[in-house]
Every structure is written in C-alpha cells, then in structure tokens.
Amino acid sequence: MPSVVYLVRSPLHTLSPALFSGEGSAVVLSLEDPLLPGKVLRATNNTRFTEGETLSYDQVLKILLGSKKVIAL
C-alpha cells in the first residue's frame, strides 16, 4: 500500500506539482467525476497502480485505510 494518498476533488492542473513531490510511495486519486468512483492520476513506481486506472469504491476505501497518510485537496 502507498505511504501517502492524495485525494483530489478539483482538476489536477489547478494544483501545484510541488504538492505531490516527495520520497517513498505515493498515489494521487481523483474523486472529481461523480460518475466514477475513483481514478489514479499519478502513482510512483513503488506502487502497484498505473496512471489512468479507474477504481471501484471498495478499492478506494482499501487504499485509504491501508495508507499511512491521507491528504485531501
């Protein structure tokens, strides 16, 4: 599981890329589309996720509960 999960409700291009830079494993999840449960916007190489991957509500919940830190933006 990733050590840091960023939850994004606004478009990614409106946020500073400096917010997502860091060491370790991190995943940026988009919850901006009400029709999709979740979408992976960015993922470091240390995670099992790929950019553009869509996730179910169950998968999103497991990621949030399994991560060490969750940051909502």
Side-chain angles (χ1 to χ4, degrees):
M1 282 295 152
S3 60
V4 180
V5 174
Y6 296 94
L7 289 177
V8 179
R9 297 226 17 151
S10 59
L12 188 60
H13 69 274
T14 63
L15 301 171
S16 171
L19 291 172
F20 311 118
S21 63
E23 303 280 330
S25 60
V27 174
V28 180
L29 296 178
S30 170
L31 302 177
E32 65 181 292
D33 187 352
L35 300 177
L36 290 175
K39 183 176 180 181
V40 178
L41 296 180
R42 289 193 185 159
T44 59
N45 295 335
N46 305 3
T47 63
R48 58 180 176 87
F49 304 103
T50 56
E51 293 182 11
E53 179 181 359
T54 57
L55 305 170
S56 68
Y57 288 115
D58 186 48
Q59 290 173 310
V60 171
L61 185 59
K62 285 181 182 177
I63 293 168
L64 296 178
L65 293 175
S67 66
K68 294 180 182 178
K69 201 183 292 186
V70 176
I71 300 171
L73 302 171

